[in-house]
Amino acid sequence: FSSRRRHTRFKCDWSSDVCSSDLVVVIDGGAAAGVGVGDVVIGAGGTLVGRVITVSQNSAEVRLITDPEFSVTAEVASTGAIGILHGRGASALVLQDVAAGWDVPVGAEVTTSGIELSSSIRSIFPRGLSIGRVIAVTSLESSVLQTADIQPILNTETARVLLVIVNYDGGLPIPSAAP
């Protein structure tokens, strides 16, 4: 990992009395530990888990990649095919809007794309975080786009320790005040 990122390790509580749903998890680190809204959360082996959505002094809520409200630009690592990955609850993740001309082989690893448009405009997610593997591809012969079902690598129900990437310089720059 680059020096622009700092990782903070936390335990998570998956119990239903603490979490508002199965698609959000509470971690035992918050603002006091440097965690902020929008921070990226990873699990074992640099696997994408989700993103921080709310923070209190000593805890934070993380929206999991399985949540239908979660999305990330992702790529098929072996071919470079890029699309938008969304959660679908209990179902497999879905990689949508992949150009039909790109190869999306079943079994291929899917990672965060970390698209960088300039030195100051880049993805809010670092490049190369593991997400899952392609389990099925749907493409109509007349379509210019294809869709792939993705099986997440990390089982979010059994992961017990998560890392939060804090102070990552992703996203759009903060606009300066007008003169």
Side-chain angles (χ1 to χ4, degrees):
F1 292 105
S2 79
S3 60
R4 292 203 272 199
R5 296 180 267 195
R6 192 177 91 221
H7 299 82
T8 305
R9 182 177 165 170
F10 298 105
K11 287 186 264 176
C12 50
D13 186 343
W14 301 96
S15 62
S16 59
D17 61 325
V18 175
C19 302
S20 58
S21 78
D22 291 338
L23 307 177
V24 174
V25 65
V26 176
I27 59 173
D28 68 350
V35 175
V37 171
D39 287 346
V40 177
V41 181
I42 61 174
T47 303
L48 182 62
V49 171
R51 193 161 180 226
V52 175
I53 56 171
T54 63
V55 177
S56 68
Q57 190 64 16
N58 296 307
S59 66
E61 286 186 330
V62 175
R63 181 175 316 283
L64 302 174
I65 62 172
T66 52
D67 190 314
E69 292 184 36
F70 185 91
S71 66
V72 58
T73 305
E75 73 177 306
V76 177
S78 61
T79 66
I82 293 179
I84 306 297
L85 184 123
H86 298 278
R88 292 195 294 194
S91 301
L93 307 171
V94 62
L95 183 63
Q96 298 176 316
D97 301 332
V98 179
W102 285 90
D103 188 25
V104 182
V106 171
E109 181 181 14
V110 175
T111 64
T112 54
S113 65
I115 292 175
E116 192 165 326
L117 300 176
S118 73
S119 61
S120 63
I121 300 174
R122 62 189 213 193
S123 173
I124 56 176
F125 295 92
R127 180 178 179 85
L129 299 176
S130 294
I131 297 173
R133 296 211 173 268
V134 177
I135 56 173
V137 180
T138 304
S139 180
L140 299 176
E141 200 169 303
S142 61
S143 180
V144 296
L145 298 174
Q146 58 186 326
T147 300
D149 291 336
I150 310 300
Q151 183 64 46
I153 290 175
L154 183 70
N155 181 345
T156 56
E157 293 181 17
T158 60
R160 295 293 177 224
V161 177
L162 304 176
L163 299 174
V164 177
I165 301 174
V166 295
N167 300 324
Y168 177 69
D169 295 330
L172 296 172
I174 297 171
S176 58

